[in-house]
Amino acid sequence: MKTRAVVCSGLNEPWKTEEVDIDPPGNREVRVKMVYSGMCHSDEHLRTGDISASPEVLELIGVPSMFPVVGGHEGSGVVTEVGTNVTQVALGDHVAVSFIPSCGTCHWCASGRQNLCDLGMATLAGPMISDGTYRYHLGGENLNRMAQLGTFAEEIVCHENSLVRIDPQANMKAAALISCGISTGFGSAVDRAKVKAGETVVVVGCGGVGSGAIQGARIAGARTIIAVDPVPFKLEKAKEIGATHTAPSLLDAQFMLPELTQGRNADVVILTPGVLKGDLIAAACALGSKDARIVVTAIAPFDQMDVQLNLFNLAMYNQALLGTVFGSASPRVQVPNLLNLYDAGQLKIDEIITQEYTLDQVQQGYDDQAAGTIIRGVVKFDS
Ligand SMILES: NC(=O)c1ccc[n+]([C@@H]2O[C@H](COP(=O)([O-])OP(=O)(O)OC[C@H]3O[C@@H](n4cnc5c(N)ncnc54)[C@H](O)[C@@H]3O)[C@@H](O)[C@H]2O)c1
Ligand SMILES: [Zn+2]
Ligand SMILES: [Zn+2]
């Protein structure tokens, strides 16, 4: 069948709507009609080359290039067709997508860490994780899909392991953002940093992911939450969703901390800027107290090796530097959990969806994200 999808044809090329061919779902595959797709910064990392699988990995999985690629990995939709041997979802089910598939049986899934599922290795590859062949084609050429998904498309075909079944009553717009950005930020605070009641948390970068981190810290009971972002509009929104203080830079936050913490500094620092740079690590550690947890959530260019880090202080301050993927929680647990918190009015999502776009406006949405005029944009599909 034909569907409209937003494709990036090469490094730094703009997102552009194309009519693409999708094959029917194969073994353990599902077709989903998208309802909403959020616009996470990670798709921009793909377009700009920050997250490009290494040539060795591409060769291993038989993929000549990351491009052309259908963008989008954050979204919600309705199952419209199931292939053979599908057991986890059924026709008509409401689903959120997951940028890391969960097989349920590998070492990581079996030990309750589905965000680390071995199938995640193929998340940036185009061929299906079911059989290594392609379902998407454009003008005779095979198409890759962001994170085995490509949610900037009216219809997607993906593996059932890439889906999380949700309550049919669940708010589909909230589910779209929870499927990546909000879960990742929330989990960075709650599941990775394990924020405790009364602690002081600094969140650096207040886009979609940072908005999840601020709220994770609030719901976990943090006493002080300092939101850091150079854009004043982002700081206003951060206050609306739970930040107690704001600062335009890490240095400004550093000056504020002693007075707010009886001289101890922050228990937790969470890094969620659009692009991670090596010099931010030392700056983040400098905001941390003794025994602080510094959580690295944002994505850096994949070949970034140079980091500024005071190794003496890292040891003598007993600090922990922690990476996280999907906020270190399992998608099938975290997505329904956060939908419940949204329903209970505790997790604010409508407040941070500051702009809706049509499928044809995806590039405009990313231009707005770069200009700092939105917190999170979503693509709303025609029903
Ligand atoms: N680890 C994971 O599993 C995971 C999952 C999703 C997204 N991410 C990554 O998280 C990051 C944030 O994503 P997003 O969608 O919220 O991005 P975004 O572009 O919506 O927001 C980033 C924010 O950071 C701010 N910023 C930029 N430089 C800054 C600095 N030096 N100090 C303070 N603030 C700064 C920007 O003004 C913006 O408000 C991206 O790198 C994204 O790829 C990681
Ligand atoms: Zn994302
Ligand atoms: Zn697994």
Side-chain angles (χ1 to χ4, degrees):
M1 67 175 281
K2 299 243 180 243
T3 194
R4 293 172 71 245
V6 175
V7 174
C8 176
S9 60
L11 213 55
N12 293 313
E13 293 296 322
W15 295 110
K16 209 169 139 216
T17 317
E18 304 277 5
E19 191 164 82
V20 309
D21 293 300
I22 319 187
D23 302 331
N27 192 38
R28 302 202 54 204
E29 294 170 8
V30 176
R31 180 156 62 91
V32 175
K33 184 170 165 39
M34 297 306 299
V35 177
Y36 285 101
S37 178
M39 299 176 67
C40 178
H41 197 111
S42 300
D43 296 283
E44 272 300 89
H45 282 294
L46 180 63
R47 199 175 69 86
T48 59
D50 287 345
I51 49 171
S52 200
S54 67
E56 294 79 26
V57 171
L58 288 180
E59 197 184 322
L60 194 72
I61 53 184
V63 180
S65 164
M66 305 282 290
F67 301 100
V69 60
V70 181
H73 63 281
E74 190 181 83
S76 58
V78 180
V79 174
T80 46
E81 189 180 352
V82 292
T84 48
N85 300 314
V86 170
T87 57
Q88 295 165 21
V89 293
L91 213 58
D93 276 353
H94 288 199
V95 289
V97 300
S98 174
F99 75 91
I100 305 277
S102 309
C103 76
T105 53
C106 73
H107 169 80
W108 307 102
C109 285
S111 54
R113 291 169 284 179
Q114 293 180 355
N115 61 310
L116 303 179
C117 177
D118 282 339
L119 291 177
M121 187 211 169
T123 199
L124 292 173
M128 304 301 291
I129 47 178
S130 37
D131 64 3
T133 62
Y134 287 84
R135 298 288 167 274
Y136 288 56
H137 319 277
L138 175 61
E141 199 178 358
N142 288 327
L143 270 173
N144 298 293
R145 299 150 304 141
M146 174 60 164
Q148 287 285 325
L149 294 163
T151 55
F152 298 149
E154 288 166 341
E155 306 255 2
I156 68 168
V157 168
C158 66
H159 196 279
E160 61 175 331
N161 286 348
S162 297
L163 298 173
V164 177
R165 191 154 59 91
I166 58 172
D167 192 312
Q169 305 303 322
N171 181 295
M172 294 295 261
K173 210 188 317 184
L177 262 69
I178 287 173
S179 79
C180 175
I182 293 289
S183 285
T184 299
F186 185 95
S188 298
V190 173
D191 299 282
R192 194 50 160 154
K194 301 198 189 312
V195 171
K196 293 195 279 293
E199 288 193 321
T200 294
V201 178
V202 180
V203 176
V204 180
C206 303
V209 178
S211 299
I214 290 166
Q215 299 195 73
R218 168 173 55 75
I219 291 168
R223 178 175 62 93
T224 305
I225 302 169
I226 306 177
V228 179
D229 202 295
V231 181
F233 160 66
K234 308 270 187 168
L235 297 179
E236 275 166 42
K237 278 284 173 189
K239 278 204 129 174
E240 224 180 278
I241 58 171
T244 57
H245 299 78
T246 59
S249 71
L250 283 92
L251 194 60
D252 287 280
Q254 196 172 349
F255 284 122
M256 291 162 66
L257 274 163
E259 202 185 337
L260 293 169
T261 60
Q262 286 132 351
R264 290 200 302 271
N265 274 359
D267 302 287
V268 170
V269 181
I270 301 172
L271 288 170
T272 51
V275 183
L276 190 64
K277 304 271 167 56
D279 57 356
L280 279 177
I281 302 297
C285 290
L287 303 181
S289 63
K290 288 182 270 189
D291 216 17
R293 292 89 81 201
I294 317 295
V295 179
V296 179
T297 309
I299 293 177
F302 82 108
D303 56 354
Q304 171 87 42
M305 293 287 287
D306 297 330
V307 163
Q308 270 187 20
L309 182 62
N310 185 315
L311 292 171
F312 180 84
N313 284 350
L314 183 72
M316 292 302 108
Y317 276 52
N318 203 62
Q319 290 183 334
L321 192 55
L322 304 162
T324 184
V325 62
F326 194 75
S328 307
S330 295
R332 295 224 167 94
V333 177
Q334 193 74 306
V335 171
N337 178 35
L338 296 195
L339 278 168
N340 286 339
L341 280 173
Y342 169 81
D343 281 344
Q346 294 187 46
L347 185 64
K348 311 285 179 202
I349 295 184
D350 302 330
E351 290 75 356
I352 63 162
I353 299 176
T354 48
Q355 187 70 46
E356 282 186 9
Y357 297 94
T358 65
L359 193 59
D360 296 328
Q361 292 173 319
V362 166
Q363 183 57 50
Q364 179 63 51
Y366 279 111
D367 289 346
D368 293 347
Q369 185 183 77
T373 56
I374 55 169
I375 306 291
R376 190 57 126 213
V378 288
V379 174
K380 181 178 189 298
F381 293 89
D382 300 332
S383 43

